[in-house]
Amino acid sequence: MTAAAPRGCSQITRELSGAGFDARPSDAIVQEMWDKSFFLASLAGITCLMRGSIGEIAATPHGPAAALALLEECRVTAAASGYAPGERVLERARALLTKPGSNLEASMLRDLRQGHPIEANHVVGDMLARATRLQLPTTMLGIVDAHLKVHEARRLAGSLPSSRPPFASLAADHG
């Protein structure tokens, strides 16, 4: 923080740090929030769409290209909104989203697998809405959003498949 930062900022930082939060003041908080948002929309979008970890996606012939296409749509949206991620942030995001063997997956994927409500409208839907308002290309964001909305509709209708493995009831009946 600059010397001109409000004096209360350091007190809030101390209080939050003392409570176990990773707290630090920032002169560029809105940019940092956009950096997190564009990455989170990309991570949640690609792992939910593909229903797998980054490593599983990276192991497929077209997985890394799909992840990078989604990341690019999110990057363009952030940039057009006035918050282009810096080159270092972008390089890190590209590396994380294409890392072979990575177990990284969004918490939204875990919620989706367990049949819990997901933050589709707050993460991917928000990025899609911003891109649409700015008349930007949204092919990947649209596909991910449709996928998540179908899941949510099925969840609300109670028609999600059981989380039990196929034929589990047969094994139980004949075991």
Side-chain angles (χ1 to χ4, degrees):
M1 293 289 314
T2 63
R7 289 187 332 173
C9 238
S10 59
Q11 182 179 351
I12 291 170
T13 301
R14 277 193 308 279
E15 293 292 326
L16 289 172
S17 295
F21 291 94
D22 181 17
R24 64 174 176 77
S26 172
D27 285 327
I29 191 64
V30 176
Q31 179 66 56
E32 290 176 24
M33 290 166 53
W34 269 97
D35 289 349
K36 181 176 181 176
S37 180
F38 103 99
F39 179 74
L40 181 59
S42 302
L43 174 65
I46 201 65
T47 59
C48 287
L49 180 64
M50 300 298 175
R51 304 278 178 114
S53 70
I54 291 299
E56 292 168 325
I57 296 164
T60 68
H62 304 287
L68 292 176
L70 179 57
L71 179 70
E72 181 62 9
E73 285 185 12
C74 295
R75 184 204 64 78
V76 167
T77 302
S81 299
Y83 297 97
E87 195 55 40
R88 194 178 103 242
V89 169
L90 193 53
E91 285 176 20
R92 183 170 189 266
R94 287 178 179 138
L96 286 171
L97 291 176
T98 58
K99 185 176 181 182
S102 172
N103 291 324
L104 181 62
E105 53 186 42
S107 61
M108 190 187 306
L109 175 60
R110 292 187 290 277
D111 291 340
L112 186 145
R113 284 180 180 147
Q114 295 170 8
H116 297 309
I118 56 175
E119 311 93 346
N121 290 333
H122 302 97
V123 178
V124 175
D126 179 69
M127 191 66 68
L128 175 60
R130 290 171 187 275
T132 301
R133 275 194 303 276
L134 293 165
Q135 300 179 330
L136 300 171
T138 59
T139 303
M140 290 298 294
L141 282 164
I143 291 168
V144 171
D145 187 65
H147 175 75
L148 296 173
K149 291 219 178 349
V150 167
H151 169 80
E152 272 299 283
R154 292 181 77 199
R155 186 187 67 77
L156 291 171
S159 62
L160 288 178
S162 169
S163 60
R164 292 173 50 169
F167 309 113
S169 61
L170 288 175
D173 293 340
H174 300 287

